[in-house]
Amino acid sequence: MTTALTFPGQGSQAVGMGKALAEAYPEARAVFAEVDDALGENLSAIIFEGPIETLTLTANAQPALMAVSLAALRALEANGLDVGKMAAFVAGHSLGEYSALAAAGSLSIAEAARLLRIRGAAMQAAVPVGEGAMAALLGLDFETAVAVAAEAAEGDVCEAANDNGPGQVVISGSRAAIERAIEIAKAKGAKRALLLPVSAPFHCALMQPAADAMREALSEVLIAPPVVPLVANVLAAPISDPDAIRSRLVEQVTGMVRWRETVIWLDGQGVDLLLEVGAGKVLSGLAKRIAPAVRTQSVGLPDDVPAAMALLG
């Protein structure tokens, strides 16, 4: 069996995520302590107890989701997982790419937490509240969704931000253009086209100030070669060179998350098990639609750990 580890992104957060892992595994508990120490605050209390409004703030949600993913990974390692020997690739959805790099030994947990705090704050600050928006276009193929965005732009920013799976494309840009795109998408036969409850227009050109902030932040961080290749969001292809990783992490802020192509590429490499390491089951659900023959297992609760290790043999 050939395995890839995948790591979820924003939208998978929930109050209480990771708490059972922290109670069951001292190794998982240590991850939350390390993140709290790196940020100089008790983020784990917000993760475990809420309120959800505070957890969902981009600057909190990003390091929080990474913490849960790495807590789950440490629980797997406590049960015998060796990433370098038992996984062929790692991949993460948007912020999950930082989780993937920490899992593969490229970044320390503390560095990943600090970078994600910077990333979340910079993405929030890049566009004044209310001026940007994101929308999900459901039931249109990718090419049609891109055409809808282009037609709606009318000189404003309106771009495909996430190619998540068949018939599920998220667009991002100026609010007026996104609202136009919703109406155009409906006219072109979209099953649904709806605004997303997000605080900023991620993964589009409006995020350039955040990309600049990440270029500066990443220039000061040591990135080691990962023990297994990272399948990068913006390439849907593997990279291992630290300088290439650094560049792709900057491009990722304004670039599209090519998740559908990532899963197709992994399937084409013979990957037949995807472990979703962290909160929720979003990536497992997408994978079942993109590559139905590939087995999936989410690992976010203590009972998931032995189930995943049994699949790994």
Side-chain angles (χ1 to χ4, degrees):
M1 182 168 285
T2 303
T3 301
L5 306 181
T6 64
F7 298 85
Q10 216 159 325
S12 291
Q13 68 271 7
V15 171
M17 62 181 183
K19 188 174 183 181
L21 285 169
E23 291 170 346
Y25 290 97
E27 297 87 353
R29 199 155 56 246
V31 171
F32 292 106
E34 188 173 350
V35 170
D36 287 348
D37 187 58
L39 298 179
E41 65 181 75
N42 194 358
L43 182 63
S44 58
I46 297 169
I47 298 171
F48 298 156
E49 300 161 19
I52 186 63
E53 294 80 11
T54 305
L55 177 60
T56 301
L57 292 172
T58 301
N60 289 333
Q62 296 199 17
L65 284 160
M66 184 279 299
V68 176
S69 284
L70 270 293
L73 184 86
R74 293 290 183 259
L76 288 166
E77 290 175 337
N79 280 266
L81 175 69
D82 183 324
V83 174
K85 293 180 180 177
M86 300 171 76
F89 305 99
V90 294
H93 192 285
S94 192
L95 80 90
E97 202 152 80
Y98 288 78
S99 308
L101 288 166
S106 281
L107 292 171
S108 70
I109 290 173
E111 289 287 20
R114 285 190 285 264
L115 286 167
L116 286 169
R117 168 55 57 83
I118 293 167
R119 183 179 184 268
M123 292 172 85
Q124 185 63 64
V127 180
V129 174
E131 290 189 11
M134 299 181 77
L137 307 184
L138 307 180
L140 298 180
D141 62 35
F142 176 69
E143 290 74 18
T144 304
V146 169
V148 165
E151 182 179 340
E154 296 182 12
D156 293 329
V157 172
C158 189
E159 303 170 8
N162 302 63
D163 180 11
N164 282 332
Q168 185 177 331
V169 179
V170 174
I171 59 172
S172 183
S174 69
R175 188 174 186 90
I178 296 299
E179 290 174 346
R180 289 193 294 269
I182 287 173
E183 297 310 312
I184 294 168
K186 290 176 180 176
K188 290 185 181 293
K191 292 178 183 175
R192 294 181 73 194
L194 65 158
L195 285 172
L196 295 178
V198 296
S199 55
F202 306 132
H203 298 292
C204 75
L206 295 176
M207 287 287 112
Q208 189 57 49
D212 295 339
M214 291 314 298
R215 181 178 291 105
E216 182 177 344
L218 285 158
S219 72
E220 301 170 357
V221 172
L222 175 67
I223 298 178
V227 295
V228 296
L230 169 77
V231 185
N233 279 190
V234 295
L235 300 175
I239 53 174
S240 293
D241 176 72
D243 288 336
I245 290 170
R246 202 183 308 272
S247 296
R248 300 296 90 78
L249 287 175
V250 174
E251 290 173 17
Q252 183 227 60
V253 178
T254 55
M256 183 175 67
V257 178
R258 295 168 62 178
W259 195 253
R260 177 180 60 87
E261 292 174 87
T262 293
V263 174
I264 289 170
W265 187 87
L266 289 167
D267 183 29
Q269 299 303 302
V271 170
D272 47 11
L273 175 63
L274 294 176
L275 292 185
E276 180 175 7
V277 185
K281 300 181 179 181
V282 170
L283 300 184
S284 296
L286 291 175
K288 288 172 183 174
R289 294 173 54 203
I290 300 166
V294 177
R295 299 183 71 177
T296 61
Q297 171 70 46
S298 58
V299 186
L301 297 168
D303 288 350
D304 297 334
V305 175
M309 294 310 298
L311 289 173
L312 289 168

